[in-house]
Amino acid sequence: MSDIPINLDELRQRIDRIDGEILRLISERAECAQQVARVKLAEDAGAVFYRPEREAQVLRRIMALNQGPLDAEEVGRLFREIMSACLALEQPVKVAYLGPEGTFTQQAALKHFGESAVSLPMAAIDEVFREVEAGAVNYGVVPVENSTEGVVNHTLDSFMDSSMHICGEVVLRIHHHLLVAPTTRRDKISRIYSHPQSFAQCRKWLDAHYPHAERVPVSSNAEAARLIKSEWHSAAIAGDMAAKLYELEKIAEKIEDRPDNSTRFLIIGHPSVPMCGDDKTSLVVAMRNQPGALHDLLEPFHRHQIDLTRLETRPSRSGVWNYVFFIDFKGHVDQPEVAAVLDEVSLRSAEMKVLGSYPQGVL
Ligand SMILES: O=C(O)C(=O)C[C@]1(C(=O)O)C=C[C@@H](O)C=C1
């Protein structure tokens, strides 16, 4: 340890030297990405620049290489931003998300694509699907399930009518805070605004701390945050992004009842994604209403030892079959054992649609 300087000036000179070196290397990396773009264009005039499978591999490799002192997630986030900036040099990626600005879905979009992506808020989940389908944006981000409150039915229903692929997933830890404006009378809070799911996720905390406050459900946490700016007796439950956007103060942090409260979001888009080595596949299957249908559906997965990660049932809207099943499992459609299972499931079902194979969420 004798070569480690101990005075502040020397340490700062050392940091300046390291920063210069990091900058030189990041610039070299960015030039490489520009060359990648030229190669992609030479191969195909309609080239797709964003490559989720490659991004997942880059992030996993870096996180595995990391030996500290920063933790792997932190290092992953830094490289997420470097890649996001490199991709923006190739072609900025445009992403629609369930808005308004300041929602957890926006936070998920930025976590997945990085801050260099152009992100556009949409008023409803089916609008996100429509924007992607129409080609107005490259990708869309929608919530699909929460660990406390379960599935987001709107998203599953939108897949039934859509030709969109799932290109990725991102899981976000959801932390809710009780927020007030600078002018709020904190001892006089009589009304709390939030999204119904957030109320459900903070039920016990609210019963214990604000049993008499009126709970007013609104369309998003960000909308709740916006509303309280003009009401001196109201508070909002929302996350960090909304707090920052509307310059609100947190009077209680992390008030969700379950500390592992998280939401899974899906990335939707046109292109199908090649295998990255740690993939998931999502399917929607309509079964005829007969005894043993669910067993028939699941049996091939069991026999081929394919790991199911989720099974969700929705009433079918066609009227011909009673139920459709949404199934997620580990593996990619290009793997022979997965292809074999899909062939069998397709024969046993009334209808089957592969929604996409995509990298498992990394960060
Ligand atoms: O490898 C590629 O295809 C690239 O375009 C480079 C790169 C990167 O910066 O590493 C950038 C964007 C892609 O989404 C994936 C990776």
Side-chain angles (χ1 to χ4, degrees):
M1 301 292 274
S2 59
D3 61 331
I4 295 186
I6 43 158
N7 93 32
L8 190 58
D9 280 346
E10 272 183 85
L11 282 168
R12 284 183 173 164
Q13 279 169 22
R14 198 164 160 190
I15 285 179
D16 286 344
R17 223 174 26 251
I18 295 169
D19 285 350
E21 192 65 5
I22 293 174
L23 175 63
R24 189 184 65 70
L25 290 171
I26 290 178
S27 304
E28 198 177 315
R29 191 189 191 287
E31 278 167 19
C32 247
Q34 286 177 312
Q35 283 177 32
V36 167
R38 284 193 281 273
V39 171
K40 283 180 188 167
L41 273 177
E43 281 173 1
D44 173 7
V48 177
F49 294 95
Y50 171 63
R51 298 290 168 90
E53 76 290 359
R54 172 66 182 154
E55 295 209 350
Q57 286 165 343
V58 170
L59 293 176
R60 284 206 188 100
R61 177 175 168 275
I62 283 294
M63 289 165 78
L65 276 177
N66 177 52
Q67 297 194 331
L70 293 175
D71 72 31
E73 276 222 5
E74 201 60 61
V75 170
R77 275 196 290 273
L78 289 172
F79 276 80
R80 158 70 291 148
E81 288 307 326
I82 292 174
M83 258 194 304
S84 177
C86 287
L87 176 63
L89 276 183
E90 293 186 37
Q91 188 190 60
V93 67
K94 254 172 130 183
V95 182
Y97 64 91
L98 177 63
E101 248 189 295
T103 54
F104 287 111
T105 314
Q106 184 184 24
Q107 202 174 324
L110 295 177
K111 181 177 179 191
H112 189 81
F113 288 98
E115 298 275 342
S116 302
V118 178
S119 61
L120 305 163
M122 298 294 137
I125 287 173
D126 50 358
E127 238 179 80
V128 176
F129 274 78
R130 273 203 302 276
E131 284 292 291
V132 185
E133 251 155 1
V137 295
N138 307 104
Y139 297 94
V141 184
V142 287
V144 69
E145 61 181 315
N146 175 269
S147 59
T148 317
E149 281 304 294
V151 73
V152 181
N153 289 325
H154 261 60
T155 296
L156 295 189
D157 290 346
S158 297
F159 275 116
M160 292 201 215
D161 311 318
S162 163
S163 61
M164 287 295 91
H165 279 109
I166 302 175
C167 305
E169 64 170 4
V170 51
V171 178
L172 199 67
R173 282 296 280 272
I174 303 289
H175 295 306
H176 291 298
H177 316 301
L178 189 69
L179 305 174
V180 290
T183 49
T184 310
R185 288 278 303 275
R186 294 171 183 218
D187 53 338
K188 294 265 188 285
I189 292 172
S190 60
R191 182 183 290 165
I192 300 176
Y193 290 101
S194 198
H195 186 272
Q197 280 234 351
S198 308
F199 277 132
Q201 291 164 23
C202 304
R203 193 179 297 126
K204 283 192 198 141
W205 189 91
L206 283 170
D207 289 347
H209 294 87
Y210 288 89
H212 304 300
E214 181 195 3
R215 296 176 199 177
V216 183
V218 289
S219 58
S220 73
N221 309 67
E223 173 64 5
R226 190 186 65 79
L227 280 171
I228 63 161
K229 291 286 282 190
S230 54
E231 290 185 20
W232 61 268
H233 59 100
S234 299
I237 296 176
D240 285 311
M241 278 204 97
K244 211 165 137 194
L245 183 68
Y246 292 103
E247 297 173 335
L248 301 175
E249 290 169 44
K250 297 176 195 172
I251 52 172
E253 282 192 64
K254 298 187 181 172
I255 60 170
E256 58 278 2
D257 296 330
R258 291 179 49 159
D260 60 346
N261 185 32
S262 52
T263 296
R264 180 169 168 251
F265 298 83
L266 294 175
I267 315 301
I268 56 166
H270 290 279
S272 46
V273 180
M275 203 152 78
C276 81
D278 200 354
D279 306 273
K280 258 188 189 174
T281 297
S282 299
L283 285 184
V284 56
V285 184
M287 294 299 283
R288 287 181 191 90
N289 188 23
Q290 59 194 32
L294 183 59
H295 175 269
D296 285 353
L297 170 62
L298 299 183
E299 190 276 328
F301 289 97
H302 175 68
R303 189 161 21 87
H304 289 270
Q305 299 206 318
I306 288 187
D307 198 358
L308 293 182
T309 56
R310 192 180 62 129
L311 175 68
E312 215 60 66
T313 313
R314 293 283 300 143
S316 163
R317 290 175 303 178
S318 74
V320 182
W321 306 293
N322 285 18
Y323 286 102
V324 294
F325 298 97
F326 285 87
I327 303 172
D328 287 354
F329 60 89
K330 288 192 183 171
H332 192 285
V333 285
D334 290 347
Q335 286 170 256
E337 66 276 23
V338 171
V341 169
L342 293 183
D343 282 347
E344 288 187 41
V345 171
S346 151
L347 286 174
R348 293 172 185 209
S349 62
E351 205 178 312
M352 180 189 93
K353 184 156 88 167
V354 178
L355 299 179
S357 287
Y358 50 91
Q360 285 198 59
V362 185
L363 291 176

